[in-house]
Amino acid sequence: MAARNDLHTVFCAECTTYFDWKSAGVYYTHRTSGMPGPITRLLACSKQQFDAYPASSLKMGPTFVHPNYAYNYNNESSGSYNKPAAVMHWIKESPPAEEFVLFIDADMLLRGAIDPVALGARRGLVLSEDASYLNTGIRAKLPQQYIAEELAPLAKSAGWWHIFHRDDLAIIAPRWLHWCGAIRGDPRRYWRTLGADGAPVRGPREGGGEWVS
């Protein structure tokens, strides 16, 4: 069984001053909250960004640098790709010794210690928070457009933070990046929604329907 401190906290950032002040807050609250285990910043940098990035910022705290997927990836520019890409590179190139990984955003602050085992974390089960706005897409049967009908009930409105078993994260991360690109690359699928009678209705870009995240 995993020990209480068998947890590695990671968060995403980019090589910018905007993310530096957020990173400072995460590092500080990780230290003062009593959070067990180490912490690593997953820092997205293009070569140009990295060459101009101050050494003092790089030394702010434990950091893993990876390519920046926010620009010109999948024929578009979106920071959405950095979240799955960050953990994909990290888990493959610098795998943690800790059994569990807490993945948070750079704008989150830690207020107390987390015990992943006490919360029920285990291999095959990811812990997360209910991001209720994602239910719009679930109601509109977005999952069924990408997975088998019988698997659709497994789709949950999970977001914000996640606790993964490291073995699960190694499997999930590249698939996460793939599906992020597949969904973003075909916006007509998630802008079209279903009406009360189950028939397709126009999405927001077409003048009607509810927003699907």
Side-chain angles (χ1 to χ4, degrees):
M1 179 177 290
R4 179 180 178 276
N5 63 351
D6 205 10
L7 180 68
H8 197 127
T9 301
V10 297
F11 67 100
C12 290
E14 290 187 42
C15 286
T16 65
T17 53
Y18 171 76
F19 273 101
D20 283 352
W21 70 265
K22 290 187 175 184
S23 299
V26 178
Y27 283 131
Y28 176 77
T29 58
H30 182 269
R31 183 173 67 251
T32 59
S33 66
M35 184 68 70
I39 185 171
T40 300
R41 173 177 54 165
L42 308 180
L43 191 63
C45 298
S46 67
K47 184 181 185 306
Q48 183 178 10
Q49 286 176 314
F50 186 77
D51 289 345
Y53 195 58
S56 57
S57 295
L58 192 61
K59 297 176 182 178
M60 185 182 300
T63 299
F64 172 84
V65 179
H66 67 90
N68 194 337
Y69 281 66
Y71 305 102
N72 299 317
Y73 179 78
N74 199 38
N75 298 315
E76 66 167 334
S77 295
S78 172
S80 303
Y81 295 111
N82 271 331
K83 196 164 187 176
V87 285
M88 181 184 73
H89 280 278
W90 177 70
I91 201 75
K92 181 179 180 180
E93 300 167 26
S94 184
E98 296 74 28
E99 187 171 357
F100 295 101
V101 176
L102 169 63
F103 192 14
I104 63 174
D105 290 335
D107 58 359
M108 294 181 177
L109 302 178
L110 301 167
R111 299 180 59 192
I114 290 177
D115 182 344
V117 176
L119 289 175
R122 65 178 186 274
R123 186 173 181 177
L125 177 68
V126 179
L127 301 183
S128 190
E129 181 178 348
D130 178 27
S132 59
Y133 71 93
L134 295 175
N135 282 315
T136 302
I138 294 174
R139 288 194 303 269
K141 297 188 176 182
L142 177 62
Q144 285 89 326
Q145 299 189 49
Y146 296 94
I147 61 176
E149 179 74 32
E150 61 269 22
L151 297 177
L154 298 176
K156 305 297 180 183
S157 55
W160 311 126
W161 58 267
H162 313 280
I163 298 178
F164 299 95
H165 189 281
R166 64 187 174 203
D167 295 344
D168 294 333
L169 184 56
I171 296 171
I172 291 170
R175 296 180 183 179
W176 187 357
L177 179 61
H178 166 78
W179 288 113
C180 182
I183 294 173
R184 288 188 58 85
D186 192 3
R188 294 284 297 186
R189 285 195 175 193
Y190 59 85
W191 279 115
R192 290 183 62 80
T193 61
L194 300 178
D197 59 355
V201 297
R202 292 183 300 171
R205 288 184 180 176
E206 300 167 307
E210 59 182 342
W211 176 67
V212 176
S213 173

